[in-house]
Amino acid sequence: MSDATSQGRTTPADALASALCAYCRTQRPPADSTRVTDIERIFGGASRETWRFTLVETRTGVEQRHPLILRRDPGASLIETERRIEVAAYRAFADSEVPVPRIWWLEEDSAVLGRPFFIMEAITGCEAAGPALMQTPYAQHHERIAAQKWHLLGRIATADPARVGDACESVAADRCWRRELDHWSECLNSEAVEPQPIAQAAIRWLRANPPPPAQRISIVHGDYRTGNFLVSPQGEIRAVLDWEMMHLGDPLEDLAWGLNRVWAFQNDERVGGLVSRQRAIEHWSLSSGLSVDPAALSWWELFSSVKGQAIWQGAAHAFESGANRDLMLAFAASIMINAQDRVMLDQMGHMR
């Protein structure tokens, strides 16, 4: 029991635990007792409010403990996403080669917890944060982690798009680039808190030099990078997370996003802080069976910087407007906006 509770005050976490407990009782077989314990906010998510908790059930004297994750819609976020898409992704890849947490429930009635949410199993004993993965014991396994990371992305690229049903809109192979560029350009234009001359120059170049049609229409994770998968201390990727931007499109989009140098962490040439760019591409190509046209990949890499800048500007806008006072938004904006501009300038310097 927290100090606040013992003194007769209810904290937001206490109130959330109570509401969660009541909800879980309605979803589970009857138990002699049901409790929600160890509730804790996980900070760092860009699109949803995330909490870990333990559902404790007792039946005929036997206690069962279920570590779970709550993902609840925020008041405002870096990106606007549809929770049904994220849940569809987890369900699509359940029991597949691509490891994902198992979904327990999707609840869209805001009356239950104040906002729609979903609950999934917690994968315990692992690390996701990029800076932590650069340290012991994970650092000694970087080659192994990288091989798995890019292999799994290759398997996502070859998965049948029908897996996600009607959760994602279809798109023609020669329209992938335009749809994504239109979307993120609009996000940047509507939410930028200051002029964006570098990103606007990049957008003009991208429109004037479209990439070739996609080799195939694939499931695109949308945010596949170091930081969005869980790794065991032995260097095993136990789960791919954060599918909220999943859509159908060109698989090179995912590859390029993961190669973006803002995810370097080590401040060197290792993409995602793990291995060389060439090694990452080799892993992905071998797994996906797809070729990598250098010019097409360069287009998508520059696009990834436009997309990134739209997200960081969205973070700044949400915080400055007061729509979301989560310090994570301000931190992401302050750290990433300049870094993304520098990457974009370097990318355009290599364009022909």
Side-chain angles (χ1 to χ4, degrees), residues 17-334:
S18 178
L20 267 174
C21 187
Y23 177 78
C24 291
R25 285 196 190 100
T26 68
Q27 304 299 309
R28 298 281 291 168
D32 298 330
S33 69
T34 302
R35 293 179 293 131
V36 165
T37 66
D38 308 319
I39 191 163
E40 180 184 10
R41 176 82 181 270
I42 302 174
F43 290 94
S47 61
R48 301 202 198 291
E49 189 180 287
T50 304
W51 297 75
R52 64 166 61 95
F53 68 97
T54 302
L55 175 63
V56 184
E57 298 175 310
T58 302
R59 294 184 178 85
T60 62
V62 178
E63 183 179 274
Q64 294 181 314
R65 301 177 67 85
H66 308 284
L68 298 172
I69 295 292
L70 165 70
R71 294 268 283 165
R72 181 167 67 164
D73 284 15
S77 68
L78 274 70
I79 46 178
E80 295 299 327
T81 59
E82 171 54 62
R83 75 201 69 84
R84 281 185 172 272
I85 290 177
E86 189 171 2
V87 169
Y90 286 125
R91 288 174 172 163
F93 285 97
D95 302 316
S96 76
E97 185 179 358
V98 179
V100 292
R102 192 169 297 278
I103 293 291
W104 277 44
W105 305 297
L106 167 65
E107 181 56 66
E108 298 187 286
D109 185 353
S110 295
V112 178
L113 296 183
R115 281 165 263 154
F117 63 91
F118 64 87
I119 293 173
M120 61 185 180
E121 69 172 329
I123 309 296
T124 59
C126 295
E127 180 59 70
L133 293 177
M134 302 302 108
Q135 308 300 319
T136 303
Y138 308 99
Q140 68 194 68
H141 302 299
H142 278 180
E143 284 283 350
R144 183 185 180 205
I145 295 169
Q148 296 170 81
K149 172 186 175 179
W150 300 105
H151 170 78
L152 291 173
L153 183 60
R155 303 319 297 158
I156 293 170
T158 59
D160 184 353
R163 278 179 179 266
V164 298
D166 60 359
C168 298
E169 294 182 2
S170 61
V171 62
D174 61 349
R175 297 285 298 177
C176 301
W177 71 271
R178 185 182 298 277
R179 185 187 65 180
E180 294 306 306
L181 185 58
D182 285 350
H183 172 74
W184 290 107
S185 298
E186 182 180 348
C187 290
L188 184 70
N189 291 334
S190 63
E191 301 204 341
V193 297
E194 58 190 359
Q196 294 295 303
I198 298 172
Q200 293 299 340
I203 290 168
R204 289 193 297 272
W205 189 94
L206 290 167
R207 291 199 186 282
N209 299 274
Q215 299 170 71
R216 59 166 287 156
I217 295 300
S218 296
I219 296 172
V220 175
H221 178 283
D223 195 13
Y224 196 90
R225 57 181 174 85
T226 302
N228 277 347
F229 46 82
L230 289 168
V231 183
S232 75
Q234 294 74 39
E236 178 189 2
I237 293 182
R238 296 280 308 283
V240 178
L241 305 175
D242 295 336
W243 295 75
E244 56 264 35
M245 290 195 284
M246 180 187 71
H247 57 278
L248 301 184
D250 191 326
L252 289 181
E253 179 187 344
D254 259 347
L255 178 61
W257 182 252
L259 296 175
N260 194 309
R261 290 198 300 280
V262 295
W263 316 126
F265 296 110
Q266 301 278 42
N267 294 319
D268 58 21
E269 295 303 312
R270 286 176 285 180
V271 293
L274 301 173
V275 292
S276 70
R277 181 177 185 275
Q278 185 57 41
R279 191 73 177 129
I281 293 172
E282 288 171 356
H283 283 308
W284 182 85
S285 297
L286 182 63
S287 175
S288 67
L290 299 173
S291 61
V292 178
D293 178 310
L297 181 58
S298 292
W299 190 98
W300 283 107
E301 286 186 271
L302 181 57
F303 163 80
S304 77
S305 285
V306 171
K307 172 181 172 179
Q309 198 63 286
I311 292 173
W312 316 134
Q313 289 291 328
H317 180 267
F319 189 81
E320 285 194 2
S321 69
N324 190 326
R325 302 305 290 179
D326 187 338
L327 287 175
M328 168 59 191
L329 301 186
F331 177 77
S334 65

